[in-house]
Amino acid sequence: MCTLEKRGRVFLLTLTGDDDHRLGPDLIAALRSALSTARKEALSDPGGAALVTAAQGRFFSNGFDLQWAKAAGSPSAAQARLESMVSLFAPVVADLLTLPMPTIAAITGHAAAAGFALAMSHDHVLMRGDRAVLYMSEMDLGLPFPDYFITLMKGKIVDPRTLRDVALGAMKIGGKEAKERGIVDKLYAGPEETLEAALKLGEELAGRGWVGSVYAETRKAAFPELCKAVGVADEKLTAASKL
Amino acid sequence: MCTLEKRGRVFLLTLTGDDDHRLGPDLIAALRSALSTARKEALSDPGGAALVTAAQGRFFSNGFDLQWAKAAGSPSAAQARLESMVSLFAPVVADLLTLPMPTIAAITGHAAAAGFALAMSHDHVLMRGDRAVLYMSEMDLGLPFPDYFMTLMKAKIVDPRTLRDVALGAMKIGGKEAKERGIVDKLYAGPEETLEAALKLGEELAGRGWVGSVYAETRKAAFPELCKAVGVADEKLTAASKL
């Protein structure tokens, strides 16, 4: 499902396998476990750290496991399974929002729906410029967005026209357009280059030696509505300092 | 510490001396006094006015007086002094938010932390393009931001990637990048040119003959979260009119 390794000061979280890394309950649980490990290790180590999330194969992630939902048998049971994934995924966003280190998504393949949301939940988003597409598919599937998806999109996509195209327009956005519209930070030739750049950026950011808890608190303060939407509590740090 | 002079219709507030204009209790008090004088004079004079804030030397302001804080003797006493400056500076932001005239920051030197916040609290921000740097140093110092600093940054820097780089990334931003990213309005060759342009802009804006109280109310309405964060009360003007 996913692996967590340490490369220097960078935690590399990889969605494994050649499939489309559907965010069903098992993968969600695996992600949470990996993020929890990264958190604990970072908090017990005073040096800086960073997280890079990447994926094997042609897909970053194609979103929730709708096949698993439909396999429930009845429309209402399918709806219940979908709602369970929506509920299970919010804590992943919360984990990334509160992770005590800079986070970098290396979009090494297509990212759709919850997969696009996963990428967007990172501080930095690097993308292959050649063949991947970002796509909020919900409007095409006749699905309303979970509230916290809208809050996330509004937190990260502030241009109203881009938000309209992404959320209302189910636009399929290639790397170049994603960069032009401010949805991703930088483009790279292909998946290997994207991952390499992400690890390099991670090492740079980790090298700044920021205090992880202060970084997390500052990120939370920058996204108050998203914190609320995914259930992140509002306990303030006092000026823990290097004074 | 600072001087207030009138140049035509423009109040020129200058942070004086060749030092880095640290925002300790004394300078903060001097700023408040000068802003109070400008406010009173403008309200008693029906013509338009404007404020330009500039600084002598290589620094606009390097932020709170951390040396003064550390000189307190113990970590907890240092913390108390830092918190006192945080508390004392919020009313400066409130004064600028409610000032009954357009405000212009002439960034004639480096502006860091609270100094950067001081500049950002103005309606217009002009900057020398050659040698000054804007820098939110807090993450590098392991300091969380005061709540109202984050509110101010979120109000003035709406691009999430730029906010990330400024607040989470402690990026040192030169004039060209500040202009490209929408943090400042315009760049000028050096400090004299910046001040000259600020005074000229001030005279233009003052020449519009706007009603000061209406200007202030409109600015407050444009920044409701910031008003709340710095304790500005919400008393609405009825449509005082030129009808």
Side-chain angles (χ1 to χ4, degrees), chain B residues 84-141:
Chain B
S84 75
M85 288 182 284
V86 168
S87 298
L88 287 169
F89 184 68
V92 175
V93 177
D95 289 345
L96 287 165
L97 201 46
T98 60
L99 209 67
M101 67 189 80
T103 59
I104 303 158
I107 303 182
T108 46
H110 306 300
F116 187 179
L118 177 64
M120 261 199 282
S121 299
H122 291 68
D123 301 324
H124 301 261
V125 182
L126 311 187
M127 185 172 174
R128 61 187 292 184
D130 58 339
R131 265 213 288 266
V133 152
L134 304 175
Y135 172 42
M136 276 301 178
S137 50
E138 283 81 345
M139 190 59 63
D140 283 344
L141 297 171

Side-chain angles (χ1 to χ4, degrees), chain B residues 31-111:
Chain B
L31 286 173
R32 293 210 68 202
S33 174
L35 292 171
S36 174
T37 300
R39 178 191 305 274
K40 287 198 201 89
E41 287 188 28
L43 289 174
S44 66
D45 176 345
L51 172 86
V52 168
T53 302
Q56 294 172 346
R58 291 185 304 123
F59 291 87
F60 184 78
S61 167
N62 230 1
F64 292 138
D65 195 342
L66 300 184
Q67 262 192 339
W68 173 71
K70 286 181 213 170
S74 71
S76 59
Q79 183 61 28
R81 282 190 174 182
L82 176 58
E83 282 169 16
S84 75
M85 288 182 284
V86 168
S87 298
L88 287 169
F89 184 68
V92 175
V93 177
D95 289 345
L96 287 165
L97 201 46
T98 60
L99 209 67
M101 67 189 80
T103 59
I104 303 158
I107 303 182
T108 46
H110 306 300

Side-chain angles (χ1 to χ4, degrees), chain A residues 159-181:
Chain A
D159 170 51
R161 304 192 133 64
T162 300
L163 180 65
R164 172 203 64 204
D165 290 341
V166 169
L168 282 165
M171 182 181 275
K172 287 175 181 168
I173 306 163
K176 189 165 168 288
E177 184 146 23
K179 168 84 165 66
E180 278 164 10
R181 289 185 172 231

Side-chain angles (χ1 to χ4, degrees), chain A residues 204-229:
Chain A
E204 273 175 46
L205 294 171
R208 298 288 292 268
W210 293 322
V211 177
S213 53
V214 175
Y215 190 89
E217 285 309 307
T218 303
R219 190 203 285 113
K220 283 164 63 179
F223 294 103
E225 302 91 354
L226 184 57
C227 282
K228 200 166 169 193

